[in-house]
Amino acid sequence: MKSEKHRLYYGWIVCGVCTLLLFITMGTASNGLSVFMPYIMKEYSLTGAQTSSLVTLRCTFAFISMLLIGHYYDRVGYRMGTALAALCCCGAYVIYGFASSYLQFCIGASIAGISYGLGSMIPVAILMNRWFVRHRALTIGICSAGSTLAVILLPSILTSIILRHSLHSAFLFTASYSLAASVLVFLLIREKPADKGLEPLGWSDAAAQYRARDPQAKRAGASWTSRSLSRKGWLLMALVSVTMGALGNPGFMHLTVLFTTEGYAPMTVALLISVSGIVMTAFKVLCGETADVFGSFRASALFFGVFIAGNLLCCLAFTGSVPLATVSVIIFGIGSPICTVGIPVWAGDLVSEEHYSETVRRLQLIYAAGAMVFATMPGILADLLGSYIPVYGLFAAMILAAFACLAGAYRLRR
Protein backbone atom coordinates (compact mmCIF):
# COMPACT_ATOMS: atom_id res chain seq x y z
CA MET A 1 0.00 0.00 0.00
CA LYS A 2 1.15 3.52 -0.72
CA SER A 3 1.37 5.98 2.11
CA GLU A 4 -1.76 8.05 2.59
CA LYS A 5 0.37 11.20 2.99
CA HIS A 6 -0.03 12.62 -0.49
CA ARG A 7 -0.61 16.22 -1.42
CA LEU A 8 -4.27 15.32 -1.86
CA TYR A 9 -5.61 12.03 -0.57
CA TYR A 10 -7.89 10.55 -3.24
CA GLY A 11 -10.61 9.88 -0.70
CA TRP A 12 -11.36 13.60 -0.62
CA ILE A 13 -12.11 13.47 -4.36
CA VAL A 14 -14.48 10.56 -3.71
CA CYS A 15 -16.08 12.66 -0.94
CA GLY A 16 -16.58 15.58 -3.34
CA VAL A 17 -18.11 13.34 -6.00
CA CYS A 18 -20.46 11.78 -3.42
CA THR A 19 -21.54 15.31 -2.46
CA LEU A 20 -22.36 15.90 -6.14
CA LEU A 21 -24.21 12.56 -6.23
CA LEU A 22 -26.51 13.61 -3.37
CA PHE A 23 -27.01 17.01 -5.02
CA ILE A 24 -28.47 15.05 -7.97
CA THR A 25 -30.25 12.07 -6.42
CA MET A 26 -31.62 13.68 -3.25
CA GLY A 27 -31.54 17.39 -4.12
CA THR A 28 -32.59 17.35 -7.78
CA ALA A 29 -34.56 14.11 -8.21
CA SER A 30 -36.51 14.67 -4.98
CA ASN A 31 -36.58 18.29 -3.84
CA GLY A 32 -36.15 19.73 -7.35
CA LEU A 33 -39.61 18.57 -8.37
CA SER A 34 -41.21 20.94 -5.84
CA VAL A 35 -39.95 23.91 -7.90
CA PHE A 36 -41.76 22.62 -11.00
CA MET A 37 -45.03 21.47 -9.42
CA PRO A 38 -47.03 24.75 -9.66
CA TYR A 39 -46.00 25.20 -13.29
CA ILE A 40 -46.76 21.56 -14.18
CA MET A 41 -50.22 21.92 -12.66
CA LYS A 42 -50.94 25.11 -14.59
CA GLU A 43 -49.42 24.26 -17.98
CA TYR A 44 -50.68 20.68 -18.22
CA SER A 45 -54.02 21.25 -16.42
CA LEU A 46 -53.36 18.67 -13.72
CA THR A 47 -55.52 18.63 -10.62
CA GLY A 48 -54.07 19.16 -7.15
CA ALA A 49 -54.53 15.48 -6.38
CA GLN A 50 -52.72 14.44 -9.57
CA THR A 51 -49.82 16.77 -8.84
CA SER A 52 -49.50 15.53 -5.25
CA SER A 53 -49.62 11.94 -6.47
CA LEU A 54 -46.32 12.55 -8.30
CA VAL A 55 -44.67 13.06 -4.91
CA THR A 56 -46.35 9.92 -3.58
CA LEU A 57 -45.11 7.90 -6.56
CA ARG A 58 -41.59 9.23 -6.13
CA CYS A 59 -41.56 8.30 -2.44
CA THR A 60 -43.01 4.85 -3.13
CA PHE A 61 -40.44 3.95 -5.78
CA ALA A 62 -37.64 5.35 -3.60
CA PHE A 63 -38.73 3.05 -0.78
CA ILE A 64 -38.95 0.00 -3.10
CA SER A 65 -35.47 0.80 -4.47
CA MET A 66 -34.05 0.95 -0.95
CA LEU A 67 -35.50 -2.51 -0.28
CA LEU A 68 -33.48 -3.85 -3.23
CA ILE A 69 -30.38 -1.70 -2.80
CA GLY A 70 -28.22 -4.43 -1.26
CA HIS A 71 -28.71 -6.81 -4.19
CA TYR A 72 -28.30 -3.92 -6.64
CA TYR A 73 -24.86 -2.85 -5.40
CA ASP A 74 -23.70 -6.44 -4.89
CA ARG A 75 -24.42 -7.03 -8.58
CA VAL A 76 -23.20 -3.82 -10.29
CA GLY A 77 -20.77 -2.35 -7.73
CA TYR A 78 -20.67 1.14 -6.24
CA ARG A 79 -18.95 2.90 -9.12
CA MET A 80 -21.41 1.82 -11.80
CA GLY A 81 -24.34 1.73 -9.36
CA THR A 82 -24.01 5.35 -8.22
CA ALA A 83 -23.49 6.56 -11.81
CA LEU A 84 -26.69 4.77 -12.90
CA ALA A 85 -28.56 6.29 -9.94
CA ALA A 86 -27.58 9.78 -11.11
CA LEU A 87 -28.42 8.82 -14.71
CA CYS A 88 -31.95 7.87 -13.59
CA CYS A 89 -32.42 11.49 -12.48
CA CYS A 90 -31.40 12.62 -15.97
CA GLY A 91 -33.88 10.18 -17.50
CA ALA A 92 -36.68 11.40 -15.25
CA TYR A 93 -36.22 15.02 -16.34
CA VAL A 94 -35.97 14.07 -20.01
CA ILE A 95 -39.35 12.37 -19.62
CA TYR A 96 -40.73 15.44 -17.83
CA GLY A 97 -39.39 17.63 -20.62
CA PHE A 98 -41.26 15.76 -23.35
CA ALA A 99 -44.30 14.72 -21.31
CA SER A 100 -47.73 15.70 -22.55
CA SER A 101 -49.94 13.65 -20.24
CA TYR A 102 -50.39 12.82 -16.57
CA LEU A 103 -49.29 9.20 -17.17
CA GLN A 104 -45.95 10.34 -18.61
CA PHE A 105 -45.32 12.54 -15.58
CA CYS A 106 -46.08 9.50 -13.39
CA ILE A 107 -43.42 7.51 -15.24
CA GLY A 108 -40.91 10.34 -14.77
CA ALA A 109 -41.71 10.62 -11.05
CA SER A 110 -41.25 6.87 -10.62
CA ILE A 111 -37.80 6.98 -12.24
CA ALA A 112 -36.89 9.97 -10.07
CA GLY A 113 -37.84 7.86 -7.04
CA ILE A 114 -35.50 5.09 -8.23
CA SER A 115 -32.71 7.68 -8.52
CA TYR A 116 -33.35 8.84 -4.95
CA GLY A 117 -33.61 5.32 -3.54
CA LEU A 118 -30.47 3.92 -5.19
CA GLY A 119 -28.37 7.09 -4.78
CA SER A 120 -29.26 7.93 -1.19
CA MET A 121 -27.06 8.16 1.91
CA ILE A 122 -26.69 4.36 1.94
CA PRO A 123 -23.99 4.02 -0.78
CA VAL A 124 -22.40 7.31 0.26
CA ALA A 125 -22.05 6.23 3.91
CA ILE A 126 -20.58 2.87 2.86
CA LEU A 127 -18.05 4.55 0.56
CA MET A 128 -17.01 7.05 3.23
CA ASN A 129 -16.68 4.20 5.74
CA ARG A 130 -14.32 2.42 3.31
CA TRP A 131 -12.16 5.46 2.55
CA PHE A 132 -11.95 7.17 5.95
CA VAL A 133 -11.16 6.17 9.50
CA ARG A 134 -10.06 9.66 10.49
CA HIS A 135 -12.57 12.42 9.57
CA ARG A 136 -15.24 9.81 8.71
CA ALA A 137 -18.11 11.73 10.33
CA LEU A 138 -16.89 14.97 8.75
CA THR A 139 -17.00 13.46 5.26
CA ILE A 140 -20.51 12.11 5.84
CA GLY A 141 -21.58 15.61 6.88
CA ILE A 142 -19.98 17.16 3.79
CA CYS A 143 -21.74 14.68 1.49
CA SER A 144 -25.05 15.19 3.24
CA ALA A 145 -24.77 18.95 2.68
CA GLY A 146 -25.02 18.31 -1.07
CA SER A 147 -28.75 17.63 -0.87
CA THR A 148 -29.40 20.80 1.15
CA LEU A 149 -27.24 22.86 -1.19
CA ALA A 150 -29.64 21.93 -3.99
CA VAL A 151 -32.54 23.33 -1.94
CA ILE A 152 -30.71 26.66 -1.71
CA LEU A 153 -29.49 26.95 -5.32
CA LEU A 154 -32.11 25.30 -7.51
CA PRO A 155 -35.33 27.28 -6.81
CA SER A 156 -34.02 30.66 -8.02
CA ILE A 157 -32.09 29.21 -11.00
CA LEU A 158 -34.88 26.96 -12.27
CA THR A 159 -37.62 29.53 -11.68
CA SER A 160 -35.61 32.08 -13.68
CA ILE A 161 -35.26 29.65 -16.61
CA ILE A 162 -38.98 28.85 -16.53
CA LEU A 163 -39.97 32.54 -16.53
CA ARG A 164 -37.41 33.66 -19.16
CA HIS A 165 -37.67 30.66 -21.48
CA SER A 166 -40.05 27.78 -20.79
CA LEU A 167 -40.85 24.85 -18.53
CA HIS A 168 -39.51 22.54 -21.24
CA SER A 169 -36.14 24.37 -21.21
CA ALA A 170 -35.87 24.12 -17.42
CA PHE A 171 -36.53 20.37 -17.55
CA LEU A 172 -33.86 19.82 -20.20
CA PHE A 173 -31.37 22.06 -18.35
CA THR A 174 -31.87 19.89 -15.25
CA ALA A 175 -31.45 16.72 -17.32
CA SER A 176 -28.22 18.04 -18.88
CA TYR A 177 -26.41 18.82 -15.63
CA SER A 178 -27.65 15.50 -14.17
CA LEU A 179 -26.12 13.71 -17.17
CA ALA A 180 -22.81 15.55 -16.69
CA ALA A 181 -22.84 14.62 -13.00
CA SER A 182 -23.45 10.92 -13.75
CA VAL A 183 -20.42 10.90 -16.06
CA LEU A 184 -18.24 12.53 -13.39
CA VAL A 185 -19.45 10.04 -10.79
CA PHE A 186 -18.49 7.11 -13.02
CA LEU A 187 -15.09 8.58 -13.93
CA LEU A 188 -13.98 9.60 -10.44
CA ILE A 189 -15.52 7.26 -7.85
CA ARG A 190 -13.40 4.31 -6.73
CA GLU A 191 -15.00 1.66 -4.56
CA LYS A 192 -12.17 1.24 -2.06
CA PRO A 193 -8.72 2.68 -1.35
CA ALA A 194 -7.00 -0.46 -2.63
CA ASP A 195 -8.23 0.44 -6.13
CA LYS A 196 -5.81 3.39 -5.99
CA GLY A 197 -3.09 1.53 -4.07
CA LEU A 198 -4.02 3.34 -0.84
CA GLU A 199 -5.32 2.51 2.60
CA PRO A 200 -8.18 4.27 4.46
CA LEU A 201 -7.22 7.68 5.82
CA GLY A 202 -6.12 7.21 9.44
CA TRP A 203 -6.06 3.40 9.27
CA SER A 204 -2.44 2.99 10.41
CA ASP A 205 -2.89 5.31 13.40
CA ALA A 206 -6.11 3.59 14.45
CA ALA A 207 -4.52 0.14 14.23
CA ALA A 208 -1.53 1.29 16.28
CA GLN A 209 -3.80 2.76 18.98
CA TYR A 210 -5.82 -0.45 19.07
CA ARG A 211 -2.70 -2.59 19.60
CA ALA A 212 -1.46 -0.19 22.28
CA ARG A 213 -4.73 -0.50 24.21
CA ASP A 214 -5.02 -4.29 23.86
CA PRO A 215 -1.85 -6.27 24.69
CA GLN A 216 -3.41 -9.54 23.50
CA ALA A 217 -4.17 -8.00 20.09
CA LYS A 218 -0.61 -6.66 20.02
CA ARG A 219 0.77 -10.18 20.38
CA ALA A 220 -1.66 -11.77 17.92
CA GLY A 221 -1.71 -8.95 15.40
CA ALA A 222 -4.63 -6.51 15.29
CA SER A 223 -7.85 -8.49 15.25
CA TRP A 224 -10.88 -6.23 15.39
CA THR A 225 -13.68 -7.43 17.65
CA SER A 226 -16.87 -8.40 15.82
CA ARG A 227 -19.82 -6.43 17.15
CA SER A 228 -23.42 -6.27 15.96
CA LEU A 229 -26.70 -4.97 17.37
CA SER A 230 -28.67 -7.21 19.69
CA ARG A 231 -32.44 -7.56 19.33
CA LYS A 232 -32.95 -4.86 21.94
CA GLY A 233 -30.34 -2.70 20.23
CA TRP A 234 -32.14 -3.09 16.89
CA LEU A 235 -35.45 -2.14 18.48
CA LEU A 236 -33.97 0.98 20.06
CA MET A 237 -32.17 2.08 16.88
CA ALA A 238 -35.27 1.35 14.77
CA LEU A 239 -37.22 3.75 17.00
CA VAL A 240 -34.48 6.36 16.64
CA SER A 241 -34.33 5.94 12.85
CA VAL A 242 -38.07 6.08 12.25
CA THR A 243 -38.25 9.24 14.38
CA MET A 244 -35.38 10.85 12.46
CA GLY A 245 -37.20 10.06 9.20
CA ALA A 246 -40.48 11.42 10.55
CA LEU A 247 -38.83 14.71 11.58
CA GLY A 248 -35.97 15.19 9.12
CA ASN A 249 -37.87 16.16 5.97
CA PRO A 250 -41.49 16.79 7.13
CA GLY A 251 -40.31 19.08 9.94
CA PHE A 252 -38.39 21.36 7.58
CA MET A 253 -40.97 21.22 4.77
CA HIS A 254 -43.79 22.36 7.10
CA LEU A 255 -41.96 25.42 8.40
CA THR A 256 -43.48 27.35 5.49
CA VAL A 257 -47.07 26.53 6.41
CA LEU A 258 -46.35 27.05 10.12
CA PHE A 259 -45.31 30.67 9.65
CA THR A 260 -47.77 31.36 6.82
CA THR A 261 -50.77 30.20 8.86
CA GLU A 262 -49.58 32.33 11.78
CA GLY A 263 -49.83 35.47 9.61
CA TYR A 264 -46.25 36.11 8.49
CA ALA A 265 -45.84 37.84 5.10
CA PRO A 266 -44.97 35.53 2.17
CA MET A 267 -41.63 37.21 1.48
CA THR A 268 -40.73 37.01 5.17
CA VAL A 269 -41.51 33.30 5.18
CA ALA A 270 -39.40 32.76 2.04
CA LEU A 271 -36.48 34.56 3.71
CA LEU A 272 -36.86 32.49 6.89
CA ILE A 273 -36.75 29.24 4.91
CA SER A 274 -33.68 30.40 2.98
CA VAL A 275 -31.90 31.30 6.22
CA SER A 276 -32.75 27.92 7.71
CA GLY A 277 -31.51 26.11 4.59
CA ILE A 278 -28.18 27.97 4.59
CA VAL A 279 -27.62 27.28 8.29
CA MET A 280 -28.57 23.63 7.80
CA THR A 281 -26.05 23.21 4.99
CA ALA A 282 -23.19 24.65 7.05
CA PHE A 283 -24.03 22.66 10.16
CA LYS A 284 -24.26 19.35 8.35
CA VAL A 285 -20.52 19.72 7.87
CA LEU A 286 -19.97 20.97 11.43
CA CYS A 287 -22.12 18.18 12.86
CA GLY A 288 -19.79 15.60 11.34
CA GLU A 289 -16.66 17.41 12.49
CA THR A 290 -18.08 17.75 16.02
CA ALA A 291 -18.65 13.99 16.11
CA ASP A 292 -15.04 13.38 15.01
CA VAL A 293 -13.60 15.75 17.64
CA PHE A 294 -15.81 15.12 20.69
CA GLY A 295 -17.18 11.65 19.98
CA SER A 296 -20.43 10.66 18.30
CA PHE A 297 -22.57 10.34 21.41
CA ARG A 298 -21.52 13.67 22.93
CA ALA A 299 -22.03 15.44 19.60
CA SER A 300 -25.44 13.77 19.25
CA ALA A 301 -26.47 14.93 22.73
CA LEU A 302 -25.53 18.49 21.78
CA PHE A 303 -27.38 18.50 18.46
CA PHE A 304 -30.44 16.74 19.89
CA GLY A 305 -30.63 19.43 22.58
CA VAL A 306 -30.35 22.23 20.01
CA PHE A 307 -32.95 20.55 17.79
CA ILE A 308 -35.40 20.29 20.69
CA ALA A 309 -34.85 23.99 21.44
CA GLY A 310 -35.43 24.90 17.77
CA ASN A 311 -38.75 23.04 17.64
CA LEU A 312 -39.91 24.55 20.93
CA LEU A 313 -39.05 28.04 19.69
CA CYS A 314 -41.13 27.37 16.57
CA CYS A 315 -44.08 26.93 18.94
CA LEU A 316 -43.78 30.69 19.63
CA ALA A 317 -44.69 31.56 16.03
CA PHE A 318 -48.06 32.81 17.28
CA THR A 319 -46.30 35.93 18.63
CA GLY A 320 -45.79 37.26 15.09
CA SER A 321 -42.27 38.40 16.00
CA VAL A 322 -39.94 38.28 12.99
CA PRO A 323 -36.72 38.45 15.10
CA LEU A 324 -37.95 35.55 17.24
CA ALA A 325 -38.93 33.58 14.12
CA THR A 326 -35.44 34.19 12.68
CA VAL A 327 -33.79 32.87 15.84
CA SER A 328 -36.16 29.89 15.75
CA VAL A 329 -35.29 28.82 12.20
CA ILE A 330 -31.56 29.36 12.80
CA ILE A 331 -31.58 27.10 15.87
CA PHE A 332 -33.81 24.63 14.03
CA GLY A 333 -31.30 24.62 11.15
CA ILE A 334 -28.38 24.06 13.52
CA GLY A 335 -29.99 21.04 15.18
CA SER A 336 -31.71 19.30 12.25
CA PRO A 337 -28.56 17.88 10.53
CA ILE A 338 -28.46 15.17 13.19
CA CYS A 339 -31.42 13.57 11.37
CA THR A 340 -29.38 12.83 8.22
CA VAL A 341 -25.80 12.70 9.52
CA GLY A 342 -26.63 10.66 12.61
CA ILE A 343 -27.47 7.20 11.26
CA PRO A 344 -24.18 6.47 9.42
CA VAL A 345 -22.19 7.85 12.36
CA TRP A 346 -24.09 5.86 15.00
CA ALA A 347 -23.76 2.68 12.95
CA GLY A 348 -19.99 3.17 12.89
CA ASP A 349 -19.97 3.29 16.71
CA LEU A 350 -22.43 0.49 17.39
CA VAL A 351 -21.30 -2.24 14.98
CA SER A 352 -18.00 -3.48 13.60
CA GLU A 353 -16.81 -3.19 10.03
CA GLU A 354 -18.30 -6.39 8.64
CA HIS A 355 -21.78 -5.44 9.89
CA TYR A 356 -21.63 -1.74 8.93
CA SER A 357 -23.06 -1.89 5.40
CA GLU A 358 -26.07 -4.01 6.30
CA THR A 359 -26.78 -1.96 9.45
CA VAL A 360 -26.74 1.33 7.52
CA ARG A 361 -29.00 -0.15 4.82
CA ARG A 362 -31.59 -1.32 7.33
CA LEU A 363 -31.57 1.83 9.43
CA GLN A 364 -31.82 4.07 6.33
CA LEU A 365 -34.73 1.95 5.10
CA ILE A 366 -36.49 2.47 8.43
CA TYR A 367 -35.67 6.20 8.14
CA ALA A 368 -37.29 6.29 4.67
CA ALA A 369 -40.36 4.47 6.00
CA GLY A 370 -40.71 7.05 8.77
CA ALA A 371 -40.48 9.90 6.27
CA MET A 372 -43.02 8.29 3.94
CA VAL A 373 -45.58 7.39 6.62
CA PHE A 374 -45.27 10.65 8.58
CA ALA A 375 -45.22 13.01 5.58
CA THR A 376 -48.95 13.81 5.80
CA MET A 377 -49.29 13.57 9.59
CA PRO A 378 -48.39 17.24 10.37
CA GLY A 379 -51.26 18.41 8.14
CA ILE A 380 -53.70 15.92 9.67
CA LEU A 381 -52.75 16.94 13.20
CA ALA A 382 -52.97 20.64 12.31
CA ASP A 383 -56.49 20.10 10.92
CA LEU A 384 -57.52 18.35 14.13
CA LEU A 385 -55.84 20.82 16.51
CA GLY A 386 -56.43 23.99 14.48
CA SER A 387 -52.75 25.00 14.23
CA TYR A 388 -49.29 23.72 13.36
CA ILE A 389 -47.89 24.99 16.67
CA PRO A 390 -48.83 21.82 18.65
CA VAL A 391 -47.20 19.76 15.90
CA TYR A 392 -43.81 21.31 16.64
CA GLY A 393 -44.36 20.72 20.36
CA LEU A 394 -44.94 17.06 19.48
CA PHE A 395 -41.76 17.08 17.38
CA ALA A 396 -39.75 18.25 20.42
CA ALA A 397 -41.17 15.43 22.56
CA MET A 398 -40.38 12.88 19.83
CA ILE A 399 -36.76 14.10 19.61
CA LEU A 400 -36.36 13.71 23.37
CA ALA A 401 -37.76 10.16 23.21
CA ALA A 402 -35.43 9.33 20.29
CA PHE A 403 -32.40 10.53 22.28
CA ALA A 404 -33.44 8.31 25.21
CA CYS A 405 -33.52 5.33 22.80
CA LEU A 406 -30.12 6.28 21.36
CA ALA A 407 -28.64 6.51 24.87
CA GLY A 408 -30.06 3.04 25.59
CA ALA A 409 -28.42 1.61 22.46
CA TYR A 410 -25.03 3.08 23.42
CA ARG A 411 -25.43 1.73 26.95
CA LEU A 412 -26.01 -1.75 25.53
CA ARG A 413 -22.86 -1.44 23.43
CA ARG A 414 -20.76 -0.55 26.46
Side-chain angles (χ1 to χ4, degrees):
M1 293 288 181
K2 296 178 185 177
S3 169
E4 65 183 39
K5 296 180 180 179
H6 294 279
R7 188 160 58 182
L8 177 64
Y9 178 62
Y10 195 82
W12 291 112
I13 295 176
V14 177
C15 176
V17 176
C18 286
T19 304
L20 176 63
L21 174 69
L22 293 188
F23 184 95
I24 299 299
T25 57
M26 294 180 68
T28 302
S30 177
N31 298 325
L33 181 61
S34 62
V35 179
F36 294 103
M37 285 173 64
Y39 303 99
I40 293 173
M41 184 186 300
K42 181 180 179 180
E43 188 162 329
Y44 294 92
S45 301
L46 301 187
T47 65
Q50 287 176 324
T51 307
S52 296
S53 70
L54 299 179
V55 178
T56 303
L57 270 172
R58 188 200 68 212
C59 292
T60 302
F61 274 82
F63 185 75
I64 294 170
S65 299
M66 286 184 180
L67 285 173
L68 303 173
I69 197 170
H71 299 293
Y72 170 75
Y73 280 106
D74 287 343
R75 182 173 292 273
V76 303
Y78 286 89
R79 184 183 182 191
M80 177 65 74
T82 51
L84 289 175
L87 192 61
C88 282
C89 179
C90 170
Y93 278 92
V94 169
I95 292 172
Y96 291 151
F98 293 98
S100 58
S101 68
Y102 168 63
L103 177 60
Q104 290 170 326
F105 277 107
C106 288
I107 295 171
S110 301
I111 295 175
I114 295 172
S115 175
Y116 180 98
L118 297 179
S120 61
M121 279 296 297
I122 297 173
V124 168
I126 292 170
L127 285 168
M128 293 302 99
N129 188 64
R130 290 179 175 184
W131 277 93
F132 292 89
V133 174
R134 188 167 67 243
H135 300 310
R136 181 181 294 164
L138 170 63
T139 59
I140 291 172
I142 292 171
C143 295
S144 178
S147 60
T148 316
L149 191 62
V151 176
I152 297 171
L153 296 178
L154 290 181
S156 58
I157 295 173
L158 295 178
T159 302
S160 176
I161 294 174
I162 292 170
L163 296 178
R164 292 185 178 185
H165 301 282
S166 67
L167 183 58
H168 172 79
S169 299
F171 281 139
L172 294 188
F173 168 78
T174 307
S176 64
Y177 76 71
S178 299
L179 175 62
S182 67
V183 173
L184 280 175
V185 168
F186 180 75
L187 291 176
L188 296 177
I189 277 188
R190 295 296 182 271
E191 301 209 6
K192 51 188 181 297
D195 293 343
K196 297 289 288 185
L198 299 167
E199 63 183 22
L201 185 69
W203 173 264
S204 299
D205 293 341
Q209 290 172 11
Y210 176 71
R211 293 190 185 98
R213 287 197 305 266
D214 191 335
Q216 184 177 358
K218 185 176 181 179
R219 290 193 299 272
S223 176
W224 301 96
T225 303
S226 179
R227 183 174 68 245
S228 60
L229 288 171
S230 63
R231 286 187 178 181
K232 188 175 181 181
W234 268 111
L235 175 60
L236 290 170
M237 288 309 299
L239 291 172
V240 175
S241 299
V242 77
T243 304
M244 294 297 96
L247 300 181
N249 188 262
F252 177 74
M253 296 300 289
H254 284 84
L255 285 175
T256 303
V257 289
L258 167 69
F259 290 108
T260 300
T261 54
E262 293 301 323
Y264 289 78
M267 288 304 297
T268 300
V269 175
L271 181 60
L272 290 173
I273 301 305
S274 296
V275 168
S276 183
I278 293 169
V279 171
M280 194 183 303
T281 302
F283 274 86
K284 279 187 176 182
V285 178
L286 291 176
C287 180
E289 181 65 5
T290 304
D292 281 330
V293 174
F294 297 103
S296 302
F297 184 74
R298 290 181 180 177
S300 298
L302 173 63
F303 279 87
F304 268 104
V306 174
F307 199 26
I308 289 172
N311 279 272
L312 289 176
L313 284 171
C314 286
C315 294
L316 302 178
F318 69 89
T319 62
S321 169
V322 174
L324 180 58
T326 304
V327 172
S328 301
V329 298
I330 289 174
I331 295 178
F332 184 97
I334 292 172
S336 62
I338 195 64
C339 294
T340 49
V341 176
I343 289 176
V345 173
W346 300 326
D349 272 0
L350 297 174
V351 303
S352 52
E353 182 70 26
E354 69 268 30
H355 299 292
Y356 182 82
S357 298
E358 186 60 27
T359 301
V360 169
R361 287 171 187 163
R362 291 183 180 182
L363 293 180
Q364 286 286 357
L365 185 62
I366 296 169
Y367 174 96
M372 184 172 62
V373 171
F374 203 81
T376 58
M377 291 303 293
I380 295 172
L381 291 173
D383 289 340
L384 291 173
L385 301 173
S387 170
Y388 281 89
I389 288 176
V391 174
Y392 281 84
L394 175 62
F395 285 169
M398 291 171 65
I399 299 165
L400 181 61
F403 179 70
C405 292
L406 180 68
Y410 270 80
R411 193 175 298 113
L412 286 175
R413 184 204 69 165
R414 288 195 293 269

